[in-house]
Each structure stands twice: as C-alpha cells, then as structure tokens.
Amino acid sequence: MDVEELLAEQIAYYRARAPEYDDWWERRDRYYQGPEFFEWWRAEIDSVARWFKGLAPLGAVLEIAAGTGNITRLLAPHADSVLALDSSTETLEINAVKTAGMSVEYVAADIFAWESDRRFDTVAFGFWLSHVPEARFEQYWGKVARWLVPGGRAVFVDNRPPDGDWFERRTGNTDAVYDSSRGTSQRTLRDGHSFDIVKVFWEPDVLEHRLRTLGWQAQVGRTSGAFIHGVATLGHSISE
Ligand SMILES: C[S@@+](CC[C@H](N)C(=O)[O-])C[C@H]1O[C@@H](n2cnc3c(N)ncnc32)[C@H](O)[C@@H]1O
C-alpha cells in the first residue's frame, strides 16, 4: 500500500470509528481495564490538561485533526478562538456537542490538501503527529509554519513510544497491531472491520532533533506514563 492509499484508508478508518472513538479516551467497554488502570489513565489525562493550561494564553488556535473534541475542549478555555479541522464530519459533529458554547469553528478537510491565508498564534494537534507518515513529515511541518504568526507556537501531545510490554499492558490496545518496520498499525473496529493506518512513534529527543533540521526549536517532554508533549517555535527561544 503506498502513502496515498494509506492516508485514504486512515481517513476512512476514523470516519467509521467516530461513534466508538471515545470508548478509548473514556476507557469504556473493551478499553476498560479495571479501576486501578482507570485512575492512572485519568491522572494522565489530567496532566495533559494541566500542560495545556500552562501554555495559556493560546490566542487564535488552529487545531489539526481535532476529532471528537477531547483536546479541543482542553484548548478552548485558554484560547480566543479555535478553528477545529478534521477530515471527518462524523467526529466534528461529536466535537460540536462537547464544545457547544465555546468559541470554536469547525472545518472538514484533509490537512494535506487544505490551504488557508489565515494565521494563528497556536497550531495544536493531539494524537495526530504519530499519524503523519515519514514521507509527509516535512510537508506537514512546512504547512504548520505557514499558518503561524511570527513567534507563534506549535503545541502537541501524542502517545509515547511503546517499550517492552508497557504498551500492551498499559494501553490495552487489543484493537491495534503495530508494525514498527512499516510505521503502520492495523486497527480493528467493534464490528471486526480492519484498516491499515499510519503509526509513527517519536522519542522526545529524536523528534526535537528532527525538528531542528527543519528550522524549529522544540522542547518535547513526557508525562509520567502514556504521553509525550511538545512546543515548537521557528527562530525564537521557547517560553513555556
Ligand atoms: C487519533 S485521532 C485524534 C483526534 C483528537 N485530536 C483527539 O485527540 O481526540 C486522529 C484524527 O485525525 C483525523 N484525520 C485523519 N486523517 C486526516 C487528514 N488527512 N486530515 C485531517 N484530519 C485527519 C481523524 O479523522 C481523527 O479524528
């Protein structure tokens, strides 16, 4: 499968997954792994929420791959406005319910095709960078750069790389079969339907270095468990 086909299948997967996406985030049904894990996961999400809060004020925000709104609703309270972009109208409809009353606009578009003259103080993306294939990494960050005002920030969270049995044990991703050599994951929905999607995990120091080669200054850290988070700017020192 070439990159174009993989990206198309990835879009189709998230459209089909929209009604069950939040089972993962909320740790319900097949993602429920008992009370201890549930508390640990909630603490991880709280630490992501605190991390975004620590970046306030965010000004005008473009959120890429906003999905069902789990990150949108963390961003919006600290933003003047959020433009929430996703390729799936199905996820954006769920997002709109969660963010009702907040200053959020929604746009359904493929990020690799979308163009805009608008500029933003912050370009944010949660659990999206790991779905950008290596072949599109440079193009993607070039787009992010064009959408930022001078001194603006790209901010992101994502899954931490799997190591040892941590990944299986801690994330319980029985719906996902990761192939590190291809940078893909085979995902299975509740109805048994399978899709191949992109999955490229980033170690914080490797990502910082890679972004530096593209002219970004980035600080990438991690929560105590499941996530990495980062701030990247072009040509300015970073104040978090
Ligand atoms: C892992 S989900 C993350 C959603 C959300 N940021 C969150 O953290 O809950 C990835 C999202 O990327 C969207 N997506 C996939 N391909 C895309 C593309 N080419 N352009 C824009 N969004 C895309 C999917 O529809 C899905 O909502």
Side-chain angles (χ1 to χ4, degrees):
M1 197 184 280
D2 69 19
V3 169
E4 291 300 326
E5 288 171 327
L6 202 50
L7 288 171
E9 189 153 323
Q10 178 159 270
I11 288 173
Y13 166 68
Y14 281 108
R15 294 190 66 180
R17 187 181 167 190
E20 58 191 88
Y21 184 86
D22 285 345
D23 292 348
W24 169 75
W25 185 253
E26 302 289 344
R27 293 289 161 183
R28 294 184 298 238
D29 298 336
R30 63 177 169 158
Y31 299 96
Y32 183 70
Q33 293 173 264
E36 190 188 338
F37 178 84
F38 189 80
E39 288 311 315
W40 175 83
W41 181 256
R42 292 306 298 258
E44 283 292 290
I45 288 178
D46 286 349
S47 78
V48 166
R50 279 196 304 277
W51 183 77
F52 278 120
K53 188 175 178 185
L55 298 174
L58 298 172
V61 176
L62 167 64
E63 186 192 359
I64 296 171
T68 62
N70 297 322
I71 303 299
T72 317
R73 66 179 167 191
L74 300 181
L75 297 167
H78 312 298
D80 294 333
S81 61
V82 179
L83 180 60
L85 179 148
D86 198 281
S87 52
S88 159
T89 51
E90 293 83 353
T91 64
L92 289 177
E93 281 166 15
I94 298 168
N95 189 320
V97 172
K98 287 185 197 165
T99 57
M102 298 179 174
S103 183
V104 181
E105 288 174 79
Y106 311 90
V107 58
D110 175 351
I111 195 61
F112 296 109
W114 190 67
E115 295 295 345
S116 175
D117 292 333
R118 287 175 68 174
R119 296 289 177 269
F120 301 87
D121 302 298
T122 304
V123 176
F125 31 101
F127 305 98
W128 167 245
L129 188 59
S130 57
H131 298 298
V132 174
E134 173 56 37
R136 295 298 186 87
F137 188 87
E138 190 166 349
Q139 178 204 6
Y140 176 71
W141 282 95
K143 281 176 162 261
V144 172
R146 285 199 299 283
W147 293 323
L148 281 173
V149 298
R153 296 177 293 180
V155 307
F156 53 90
V157 296
D158 218 304
N159 304 102
R160 84 175 241 189
D163 49 33
D165 68 348
W166 184 93
F167 191 59
E168 295 285 314
R169 192 164 44 83
R170 278 301 199 188
T171 66
N173 274 357
T174 52
D175 64 326
V177 180
Y178 170 53
D179 182 337
S180 60
S181 65
R182 291 174 62 221
T184 60
S185 180
Q186 187 184 59
R187 298 291 180 88
T188 307
L189 295 177
R190 274 199 301 242
D191 66 3
H193 197 151
S194 281
F195 300 79
D196 279 344
I197 66 165
V198 178
K199 195 68 189 178
V200 180
F201 290 101
W202 287 97
E203 288 290 350
D205 56 337
V206 175
L207 181 54
E208 282 179 2
H209 180 262
R210 183 72 203 283
L211 287 173
R212 209 173 304 129
T213 67
L214 300 179
W216 293 87
Q217 287 186 304
Q219 286 182 349
V220 185
R222 58 174 27 161
T223 62
S224 59
F227 308 130
I228 64 166
H229 46 64
V231 178
T233 57
L234 280 163
H236 285 75
S237 62
I238 295 163
S239 57
E240 280 190 63

